[in-house]
Amino acid sequence: MAFITRQCIRSLSSSAALNAAIKHVTVIGGGLMGAGIAQVAASTGHSVVLVDTSEDILKKSAKGIEASLKRVAKKKFAEKPEDGEAFVQKVLKNISTSTDAVSVVQGTDLVVEAIVENLKVKQDLFGALDKAAPERTIFASNTSSLPIADIASSTARLDRFGGLHFFNPVPMMKLVEVIKAPGTSQQTFDALLEFSKALGKHPVSCKDTPGFIVNRLLVPYMLEAVRLHERGHGSKEDIDVAMKLGAGYPMGPFELLDYVGLDTSKFIIDGWHEKDPDNPLFAPSPLLNKLVAEGKLGKKTGEGFYKHK
């Protein structure tokens, strides 16, 4: 009877913790996505710790966040620049940095991971954090292509593990895909939805399927454009113009591939092809593979399908 009582108390306290608003957020990964998530969370009054492996990376992240906040303030407080500066400093005070993920998660409500798209690396990270974080802490991955259930399998908190897929640039893009894996509890999912809304984002509910919603449609679309070009059925320039003027897209598929990164797109499609080799939508592209092998990865390297200054 005592055991049952203890279990009930533990369950009730866990439920209460999950129903409480998320106030303290730990973001793992100081790249563009992680820094963007940290900025948005701090801007909406959350206490944020941004974590990465080196102080140099974190200093670069901090400079990027400050520059981004100043751009926001310039527009938001055009007539009162002094209020804009106060806004920037207020947000920056909500952000601290650390190279020790294990220590900082001991007092956090939510961990958002935004590191390299490598399943083992993510599993190793969450496996270590799972031992240090309180029972109430929710874990979430910002993965764009890996199954949430596979990442969560390295932890003992499948019910408190979900996906929060933000879009680049995070401060500008309103969408967040909130992913409910098979083990994710409804309370955890609801907490992630409410957190997304608290950030001023528009969350959409997703199942734990390849690419969720956006990338499941977007990546095959971009690859089909490459196949169209490979077959000689259209130049990349004409295909881009056709999709912009005919479908109202802000960028054509080749422009978008260069923006996203050819290596990123190849990584996603290769992973899906490995899991579902008979699906023609997931077939690799010889041209994409060639460009990646040559180091032509898009805007970040100065050349992809197009040359960039």
Side-chain angles (χ1 to χ4, degrees), residues 6 11 18 43 68 84-85 112 122 140 167 182 190 217 247 262 266 268 294:
R6 286 196 300 271
S11 176
L18 283 174
S43 297
S68 177
E85 181 58 31
V112 182
K122 291 180 188 289
F167 290 80
D190 290 343
L217 296 172
L262 273 59
K266 172 178 162 53
I268 292 172
E294 293 172 351

Side-chain angles (χ1 to χ4, degrees), residues 51-99:
V51 180
D52 213 305
T53 54
S54 77
E55 292 291 350
D56 287 342
I57 293 173
L58 291 169
K59 286 178 183 177
K60 184 178 179 181
S61 302
K63 286 183 180 179
I65 291 171
E66 184 172 4
S68 177
L69 285 170
K70 286 181 177 178
R71 289 192 294 270
V72 172
K74 189 174 182 180
K75 292 181 180 179
K76 191 174 181 179
F77 303 95
E79 297 180 2
K80 291 186 176 181
E82 64 277 9
D83 288 352
E85 181 58 31
F87 163 78
V88 171
Q89 294 308 314
K90 181 180 179 181
V91 174
L92 290 176
K93 284 181 181 178
N94 288 337
I95 305 174
S96 60
T97 60
S98 176
T99 57

